Amino acid sequence: MALLGGILASDMAIDLGTANTLVYVKGKGIVLNEPSVVAYHVKDGKKQVLAVGEDAKLMLGRTPGSIEAIRPMREGVIADFDVAEEMIKYFIRKVLRRGWPRPKIIVCVPHGATPVEKRAIRQSVLGAGARRAGLIAEPIAAAIGAGMPITDPTGNMVVDIGGGTTEVAVLSLGDIVYARSVRVGGDRMDEAIISYLRRQHNLLIGESTAERVKTSIGTARMPDDGRGQSMEIRGRDLLNGVPKETEINQAQVAEALAEPVQTICEAVMTALEATPPDLAADIVDRGVMLTGGGALLGDLDLALREQTGLAISVADESLNCVALGTGKALEYEKQLRHVIDYDS
C-alpha cells in the first residue's frame, strides 16, 4: 500500500505481525500494509539495513552470501531485536512527515507473549521514536476489529489465525475470560507444505512457493472428488539436484496441512471445554468468529464446524481485523482504556 507524502496525524496503532505489518493512523484508517521482512548486510560487525517491506520480501531466498533477508518477527514476537527496531522505524518514518511530534503508538501482542517478549516489543517501539507505547492483546483487537460486542455481558469466541500464532479466546464484558495461544499459523502451514513435498516428491521448494500453493489451492478438508484443483510448481529435485516442475492437487495440500489444522481445531475444543457454562451457552447462540489471514484457508470454517458442531463465521475483513481493532482502541481510548497496557 503506497503512501503519497506523509500523514499529518501522529498517534497510530500497529499490527506487528509475523507475516505483515499494518499501520493504522488515528482519523485516517489503515495507511500501510507491508511484509515484515528486512534485508541487510553485515559490515564491521554491524547490520546495515538495505531494504524493508515489499522490496525486502522480493529478496527472500534469493540473496547472495553477503546479504541476508529475514523476518525479525517469529511466532508473533520479536526474534531479532535490532532488526525489528529498524523495521519499525522505517514504517513510522514512511507514515509520518518529518518534524512532527513523536507519536503515541499502540501495538497488539499475542496473549501468550511472556513479560520479556512484551518488554522487547515495547522497547523496540520506544526506540523507534514513540513517545509512549501501549500494548493490547491480539484476541481483543481481533474481536473489536470483527465488530463483536465484547463489552456486553455475553460470551464471544474469536479465533485469530495469524502468520505465527493462533489465538483462541472467549471474551465478555470487555475482557478475556479464557485464552489460549498456540504457535501454529500461516508460517507453520507453509512449512508443512514444504515438508510434504520433500517427503513425497523429493522436491525442495521455497517459502514463497509454499505460500502461493496455500493461498491458491490450500484447503483444510479433503475434496469430495478426492483430488480437487491442481497447480504447477517448480523447485529443486533432491535426487539429482536439477530444477524440476511437478503438479500438486488440493487433496495433497489437505494431507500436508492436516497436522496444523488439527492443532487449531484442538485449541478451539480445549477453549470450549474451559468456558463457563453460561458463556458456553452464549457461544452456541452466537457461534465462533474466525479472523486473520489463516481464516481464509479453504474450508477451514467447515472443518471447525464438523469438529465443534457450532456455527463458524469468517470476519468480513479477516486480514485486517487486528489492525482495525487496535486502531479502534486508539480512536475510542477512553471507553477501551482498560484493554490497553501502557508503559507508565
Side-chain angles (χ1 to χ4, degrees), residues 91-145:
F91 290 140
I92 291 174
R93 287 171 186 157
K94 190 168 183 178
V95 169
L96 293 179
R97 287 183 180 173
R98 261 183 216 168
W100 283 90
R102 295 193 303 159
K104 175 173 66 180
I105 297 177
I106 299 174
V107 185
C108 66
V109 294
H111 175 75
T114 66
V116 172
E117 289 167 339
K118 289 179 180 179
R119 188 161 58 247
I121 290 175
R122 200 191 299 279
Q123 288 175 353
S124 284
V125 171
L126 292 170
R131 75 175 187 275
R132 199 173 183 204
L135 305 180
I136 182 172
E138 207 166 290
I140 293 178
I144 294 171

Side-chain angles (χ1 to χ4, degrees), residues 1-18:
M1 188 179 291
L3 284 169
L4 300 176
I7 297 291
L8 289 174
S10 58
D11 292 347
M12 62 178 71
I14 299 178
D15 174 11
L16 199 59
T18 304

Side-chain angles (χ1 to χ4, degrees), residues 5 12 23 38 65 86 92 112 121 135 151 163-164 182 194 206 302:
M12 62 178 71
V23 177
V38 178
E86 289 301 316
I92 291 174
I121 290 175
L135 305 180
T151 55
V182 290
I194 292 170
L302 295 179

Side-chain angles (χ1 to χ4, degrees), residues 37 84 176 192 232:
V37 184
I176 293 172
E232 295 289 331

Side-chain angles (χ1 to χ4, degrees), residues 272-340:
L272 289 169
E273 289 168 9
T275 302
D278 288 343
L279 295 181
D282 293 336
I283 293 168
V284 170
D285 292 336
R286 293 172 176 270
V288 178
M289 181 69 75
L290 301 185
T291 66
L296 301 176
L297 179 68
D299 287 342
L300 180 59
D301 54 339
L302 295 179
L304 280 168
R305 190 175 301 160
E306 288 171 359
Q307 291 256 355
T308 63
L310 298 174
I312 310 290
S313 306
V314 179
D316 291 339
E317 291 190 68
S318 59
L319 273 169
N320 300 335
C321 270
V322 173
L324 290 170
T326 310
K328 284 182 182 176
L330 180 69
E331 298 275 8
Y332 303 101
E333 192 175 349
K334 286 183 180 177
Q335 297 94 314
L336 296 169
R337 189 174 184 83
H338 65 285
V339 303
I340 305 169

